[in-house]
Amino acid sequence: MVRTLSVVQHEAAHLVVGVALGLRLREAVVGATTLHGEACLGYVWFRGSRQRNTVALAIMCAAGVVWDA
């Protein structure tokens, strides 16, 4: 199972920002896995409607990219 510090930090950025914006956390996973048939090293999954939380979801998604930069 792959758990590198950079993966953990990337997913933590999504998690912290999403929760701070009021998104309801469903699941956070770090380690080699598959999500919707795609291989990934981790993911954060929030509950709720995409229509109601569009801006919050966009900011949360950008948090991982910003952390990597």
Side-chain angles (χ1 to χ4, degrees):
M1 184 178 295
V2 177
R3 287 185 180 160
T4 64
L5 180 60
S6 62
V7 171
V8 173
Q9 290 172 328
H10 175 97
E11 297 307 329
H14 289 305
L15 186 132
V16 169
V17 171
V19 170
L21 292 170
L23 298 175
R24 293 177 24 206
L25 181 65
R26 180 173 181 171
E27 184 176 35
V29 173
V30 176
T33 187
T34 58
L35 180 65
H36 304 295
E38 297 289 325
C40 63
L41 297 177
Y43 63 88
V44 178
W45 186 2
F46 291 95
R47 292 187 174 115
S49 168
R50 291 180 190 221
Q51 289 79 17
R52 289 187 320 192
N53 300 321
T54 304
V55 173
L57 286 168
I59 293 169
M60 178 276 301
C61 288
V65 176
V66 170
W67 180 265
D68 291 343

